[in-house]
Amino acid sequence: MRVWNAETAGEAELAQARQNRQIATLEAEAKLESAKLLARAEVERAKGVAEANRIVADGLGGPEGYLRYLYIEHLAQSQGQIIYVPTEGGLPILEAGRLRPRPAPAQE
């Protein structure tokens, strides 16, 4: 009787282990399929964004026109913020007129 119980318990544990392995395998396959589909969706989204950018850029005279448009739009949305604009040398003028040296206090 003991041998039969031990054998039956062993078979039940083996069946449970197989089932757990099968479940883990199916979950891993589902994650893989999900990742592939998400990646494909992201590629399609990027293609759409690239096509939209190309259409807008062509309508504005090329990439330089599009960048100028984006720059102007950003300026319009940045009300009250300090904006550093690069000069011809590529260096920004850092608030040149805003911070003037204060005169020294008069000594008595």
Side-chain angles (χ1 to χ4, degrees):
M1 185 79 160
R2 283 181 151 175
V3 173
W4 182 80
N5 283 340
E7 188 176 316
T8 305
E11 288 174 4
E13 286 181 29
L14 182 61
Q16 184 66 41
R18 285 182 181 150
Q19 185 178 10
N20 289 343
R21 186 177 68 221
Q22 205 172 23
I23 290 170
T25 301
L26 290 173
E27 286 176 348
E29 287 173 356
K31 286 181 182 179
L32 177 62
E33 186 66 24
S34 175
K36 286 179 181 180
L37 291 172
L38 288 172
R40 193 178 318 157
E42 186 65 21
V43 167
E44 290 302 315
R45 188 194 68 76
K47 285 179 183 179
V49 169
E51 179 66 14
N53 286 342
R54 186 192 61 74
I55 291 168
V56 172
D58 289 348
L60 294 171
E64 287 297 321
Y66 186 41
L67 290 175
R68 191 175 306 108
Y69 165 78
L70 291 175
Y71 174 71
I72 292 168
E73 282 295 308
H74 182 71
L75 287 177
Q77 295 174 3
S78 61
Q79 298 172 357
Q81 296 179 1
I82 297 173
I83 299 171
Y84 297 99
V85 180
T87 61
E88 290 178 15
L91 299 173
I93 298 174
L94 302 174
E95 305 173 36
R98 196 174 91 131
L99 300 175
R100 297 179 188 192
R102 297 181 183 171
Q107 294 182 354
E108 295 179 19

